[in-house]
Amino acid sequence: MQDILPEEELELLAKYLKEEYDSAATEMEARNQKAIKWRTNMEAVASDAPKNHPYKNSSNIVVPVTQVIAQALIAKIVGTFDAREPLWDIQSLSHDEAAIKRMKSVSKVMNTWAKSPTDLNMEQVIHDLAAETVVIGGAFPKVPWVIDRWRVKGPDGQEGTVTYHDGPMVVVTPVERVKYRRGVGSIPRLPWIGVDIPLTEVELRKRAADGVFDPEKVSLVLNEERTTPTDAEEQGQKAEMFDSGETTGLYDITEFWVYWDVDGTGVPVDLFVTMHVPTNTVLAVQYNSLGVRTIAASKYIHRPNALTGRGVGQMTEAMQDEVTTVHNARIDNMKLANTRMLAVKRAGPIAAREEIYPGKILYVENPREDVNPIQLGGDIVTG
């Protein structure tokens, strides 16, 4: 970890980021709850919880309006990229034959990386980006340089290190995991922007061992394991048919790009800060020496001066609610219309819990007066 700020200044930076992060999280809560609703509509899975309004065990079907529209659009976008072969075709601006050959070699290498699951894995990236952007209206792809190394032991007991990945990686981040203050519609102009990256204990210890994070600070964070899911995580668990309410044990780490005056000149520079916000613990600080923040905002339907656009979830929300409500009302009415209740005298021929079934014979003095069916619901009995 680079030694950029003294401890006192680091504490001021951590305090500033935590206050800003908490404010932004509050501002975005309503939007994030909407995003969760749009994801739920996209899954179109009826709740297993009984619905007891307007009567017990009422219809609780979700009509897949959002799902049908979104999947058609996602398939069209993904199909456009799948039809490109190769994905990238790099052309030389020079007509020199040597330059043209070099660009062909670069294209071949780039497309090999794009197809490789252990490198860029662009097929998965395109699917993820299309699904997020179409449904929610936007997403935040970021391109970190990732080095994945693992300690291994061979059959002879000798210990070694295997490098699984060493290079750029495209990570599609959903909008709920990106925090920033409103009012600025450009990532480079934002005073700060934070990206939540929940990590496991193994990942934290590994980054500390590799020198990416401060080992002493990591030891503090390891005492703050989160064992309950966020609202977005719980929705995802339900979509995958898992029991909600449990996680594998995660630590809420956030990566910040933030402008900060490091030398007292009054001119801020862009820092890349990794932090555990709940405990105000800074794990790593480094200069953003690239001159660009390696995160972008994707939009489906463009919304000017904003980092997110309009998605199918927003555009179909009212229609989804209407169709689902009307459809369930028709099913409830059909149940009532097809269900007869019997009105009998208090001391009549049918006891309170007597079983009724087709073909049963009831012995009564006056069938027209002693037993009368009651019709509920409308006349439409077929839906």
Side-chain angles (χ1 to χ4, degrees):
M1 186 174 78
Q2 298 180 14
D3 188 13
I4 296 174
L5 296 172
E7 194 64 32
E8 298 80 8
E9 189 72 14
L10 202 60
E11 290 178 2
L12 289 175
L13 175 59
K15 180 181 178 182
Y16 165 75
L17 288 176
K18 179 173 174 55
E19 291 175 351
E20 287 289 302
Y21 179 96
D22 290 343
S23 297
T26 301
E27 293 172 358
M28 293 178 165
E29 179 61 21
R31 191 282 309 271
N32 290 345
Q33 290 300 321
K34 279 288 188 180
I36 292 172
K37 180 181 180 181
W38 300 336
R39 295 183 195 281
T40 302
N41 288 344
M42 178 62 181
E43 295 295 334
V45 177
S47 172
D48 290 332
K51 179 185 173 187
N52 295 322
H53 178 80
Y55 56 79
K56 187 175 181 180
N57 293 327
S58 298
S59 176
N60 200 18
I61 291 174
V62 179
V63 181
V65 177
T66 300
Q67 184 185 84
V68 171
I69 297 173
Q71 288 193 165
L73 295 171
I74 291 170
K76 186 174 183 180
I77 293 172
V78 171
T80 300
F81 283 96
D82 286 346
R84 288 185 58 85
E85 182 58 41
L87 179 62
W88 291 313
D89 184 11
I90 303 173
Q91 300 290 333
S92 172
L93 296 177
S94 170
H95 295 292
D96 180 67
E97 288 190 12
I100 293 174
K101 287 183 178 180
R102 285 196 298 272
M103 291 305 102
K104 286 184 178 180
S105 298
V106 172
S107 295
K108 185 176 181 179
V109 171
M110 290 294 294
N111 283 293
T112 300
W113 287 348
K115 290 182 178 181
S116 172
T118 60
D119 288 294
L120 291 175
N121 195 16
M122 288 304 297
E123 180 180 355
Q124 184 67 47
V125 170
I126 290 169
H127 281 72
D128 290 347
L129 187 58
E132 282 292 316
T133 305
V134 169
V135 177
I136 306 302
F140 291 87
K142 65 188 183 87
V143 189
W145 189 280
V146 177
I147 301 176
D148 280 333
R149 295 192 184 100
W150 302 100
R151 295 172 57 195
V152 297
K153 284 191 175 183
D156 57 358
Q158 293 294 320
E159 186 174 295
T161 302
V162 173
T163 300
Y164 178 77
H165 178 93
D166 186 353
M169 180 177 288
V170 184
V171 180
V172 179
T173 307
V175 296
E176 298 98 314
R177 289 186 176 175
V178 180
K179 306 294 190 299
Y180 52 90
R181 301 300 295 272
R182 300 305 177 90
V184 179
S186 169
I187 290 178
R189 291 180 54 221
L190 285 170
W192 65 272
I193 182 170
V195 179
D196 296 332
I197 50 166
L199 298 180
T200 64
E201 180 180 347
V202 171
E203 291 172 316
L204 274 177
R205 292 187 181 279
K206 178 176 171 296
R207 296 186 187 198
D210 290 343
V212 178
F213 292 164
D214 185 330
E216 293 184 3
K217 300 295 180 65
V218 168
S219 64
L220 298 176
V221 174
L222 288 174
N223 297 322
E224 300 294 330
E225 180 186 35
R226 175 168 61 82
T227 57
T228 57
T230 63
D231 291 342
E233 289 170 347
E234 186 170 7
Q235 184 275 325
Q237 290 173 359
K238 290 180 179 179
E240 294 186 79
M241 306 302 175
F242 291 139
D243 291 335
S244 63
E246 296 182 4
T247 68
T248 57
L250 297 173
Y251 298 85
D252 294 315
I253 308 302
T254 304
E255 295 177 340
F256 290 96
W257 286 268
V258 55
Y259 291 116
W260 193 257
D261 182 7
V262 299
D263 52 14
T265 61
V267 180
V269 297
D270 201 18
L271 298 179
F272 184 67
V273 180
T274 307
M275 179 175 169
H276 184 248
V277 175
T279 59
N280 230 21
T281 303
V282 176
L283 301 173
V285 180
Q286 64 187 78
Y287 290 111
N288 180 19
S289 56
L290 293 176
V292 62
R293 292 172 170 177
T294 55
I295 183 172
S298 68
K299 303 178 186 179
Y300 183 54
I301 303 299
H302 180 72
R303 181 183 288 122
N305 303 315
L307 294 181
T308 57
R310 287 185 295 275
V312 172
Q314 176 187 340
M315 292 185 285
T316 62
E317 181 182 356
M319 181 168 54
Q320 172 75 65
D321 290 345
E322 177 187 358
V323 173
T324 295
T325 300
V326 172
H327 185 72
N328 283 320
R330 288 174 63 86
I331 292 177
D332 290 340
N333 180 68
M334 182 175 64
K335 287 181 180 178
L336 289 174
N338 287 336
T339 302
R340 302 293 194 272
M341 291 193 298
L342 299 177
V344 300
K345 294 187 296 185
R346 289 185 181 275
I350 301 179
R353 296 182 179 277
E354 184 167 346
E355 183 180 2
I356 301 295
Y357 52 86
K360 181 169 183 174
I361 299 176
L362 298 175
Y363 295 95
V364 297
E365 296 293 337
N366 190 337
R368 294 182 179 274
E369 296 180 2
D370 292 350
V371 180
N372 286 297
I374 297 177
Q375 170 72 49
L376 294 179
D379 295 331
I380 301 176
V381 295
T382 61

